[in-house]
Amino acid sequence: MVTIFGRAKINLTLDILGLREDGYHEIATVMQSLALADTLTLTQQEEGITLRVDLPGLEADERNLAHRAADLVMSECGVRGGVHIDITKRIPVAAGLAGGSADAAATLRGMNELYALNLSDEELCRLGAKLGSDIPFSIMGGTVLATGRGEIMQHLADFPATHVVLAKPPVAVSTPWAYRSYDAHPAEVHPDNAAFLEALARGDRARCAELICNVLEPVTETTHPVIGDYRARMRAHGALCAMMSGSGPTVFGLFAEEGAAAEAAAAFQEETDADVHLTHTVGRYGV
Ligand code: C5P
């Protein structure tokens, strides 16, 4: 039996460079792991894949990315035997926080350990990329510049330790919808990734905070104006900066002080319908 964390992520920058022939978008995004995590416990069983998720309404069958990840490892590596996967969900679902990818990544790592498969990180990422663009990042974690469709990774210096408040409004956003809407309304303002990487290399959190930018934010916000409201609230409660993560709808705020972050989280809980989480950034090895 093995127990593995599947960590949430936020995008500190997200740029779209063009539409690819395979239908995906060429992107350049700085991704950051958070302490907020689902817990997966994998147990060997004689055959087949079974899944239990503690969140009612979340599919616990072949449609679940963790199930598909286990299936992929078993067929690619000729695993004889099965697995039971128990998932404790903490990452909000369909939120722009890569919760499904985190579970798939944890399953790939867990299967590697459970069945002593000796797959390298690169091999795990190659398998992960078959299931979703964010999964290789979820396997590696830390602070990463992801390019291609999100699966090509360059490790960066860890983002300076920062407290993070997540506020997910009670609306659902589909990632394919957000990317399609972007094609109809491309962004006028793009992130300056080169400047961001330079500031990050200097450990200059204040400058990084000025440079955060997500080209999908205006698209999702047009349909869900609550995102603009949350961003303004986050800043009013003392965030260094606030922005939507991924294709949304979660808005994150970065805070230098834990006390200020806790106050902002409490205020969101009191004043809005948001699903609120108080967490912090983590480096590549989960610390
Ligand atoms: O790779 P993943 O399955 O997570 O992507 C979900 C959807 O998001 C894709 O089907 C595509 O519509 C969109 N997407 C995209 N370009 C990317 C990543 C995702 O168009 N780089």
Side-chain angles (χ1 to χ4, degrees):
M1 187 172 108
V2 295
T3 296
I4 311 254
F5 286 132
R7 294 195 185 278
K9 65 85 184 152
I10 50 174
N11 303 77
L12 296 170
T13 70
L14 199 171
D15 201 7
I16 296 180
L17 308 172
L19 187 58
R20 296 154 44 124
E21 281 186 359
D22 61 8
Y24 282 86
H25 292 73
E26 194 70 19
I27 62 173
T29 174
V30 176
M31 300 170 101
Q32 173 63 50
S33 298
L34 300 178
L36 177 69
D38 296 341
T39 307
L40 285 83
T41 300
L42 279 67
T43 314
Q44 278 196 19
Q45 61 187 19
E46 265 182 36
E47 56 176 14
I49 303 164
T50 52
L51 194 60
R52 194 195 75 91
V53 189
D54 71 342
L55 193 69
L58 198 63
E59 61 270 12
D61 53 24
E62 312 65 49
R63 291 168 298 172
N64 190 297
L65 267 180
H67 193 292
R68 290 171 54 201
D71 196 32
L72 183 66
V73 178
M74 284 162 65
S75 59
E76 290 246 348
C77 301
V79 170
R80 289 215 213 129
V83 64
H84 175 72
I85 307 169
D86 200 297
I87 308 182
T88 303
K89 282 299 295 179
R90 293 189 196 87
I91 307 172
V93 175
L97 300 171
S101 299
D103 296 348
T107 301
L108 293 174
R109 278 208 175 283
M111 288 298 287
N112 197 29
E113 216 174 292
L114 196 64
Y115 278 99
L117 300 173
N118 283 318
L119 296 171
S120 64
D121 286 347
E122 288 67 30
E123 287 166 313
L124 290 171
C125 287
R126 186 186 59 78
L127 290 178
K130 291 187 176 189
L131 298 169
S133 308
D134 286 344
I135 298 175
F137 169 75
S138 298
I139 290 167
M140 301 307 296
T143 308
V144 161
L145 173 68
T147 53
R149 63 184 172 89
E151 87 287 18
I152 302 169
M153 285 178 295
Q154 180 190 336
H155 283 284
L156 304 172
D158 284 345
F159 192 75
T162 297
H163 301 279
V164 181
V165 175
L166 302 172
K168 183 195 171 252
V171 296
V173 172
S174 129
T175 303
W177 168 84
Y179 275 100
R180 270 200 315 275
S181 307
Y182 178 88
D183 293 335
H185 303 283
E188 282 157 23
V189 181
H190 291 262
D192 185 344
N193 272 324
F196 190 94
L197 297 195
E198 211 177 271
L200 183 65
R202 290 197 310 270
D204 187 345
R205 179 172 54 194
R207 182 70 185 132
C208 285
E210 286 171 5
L211 289 165
I212 64 164
C213 178
N214 175 355
V215 295
L216 290 175
E217 187 179 51
V219 171
T220 307
E221 192 174 332
T222 303
T223 305
H224 302 293
V226 64
I227 289 163
D229 172 48
Y230 279 19
R231 207 174 44 233
R233 272 175 198 277
M234 207 62 94
R235 291 211 190 101
H237 286 297
L240 296 169
C241 61
M243 192 173 72
M244 186 185 85
S245 181
S247 52
T250 302
V251 173
F252 65 84
L254 302 185
F255 295 79
E257 307 292 335
E258 187 172 15
E263 276 175 36
F268 260 91
Q269 223 129 29
E270 205 172 295
E271 297 164 9
T272 71
D273 299 332
D275 180 5
V276 185
H277 295 265
L278 175 58
T279 182
H280 57 87
T281 56
V282 289
R284 184 162 171 192
Y285 299 103
V287 287

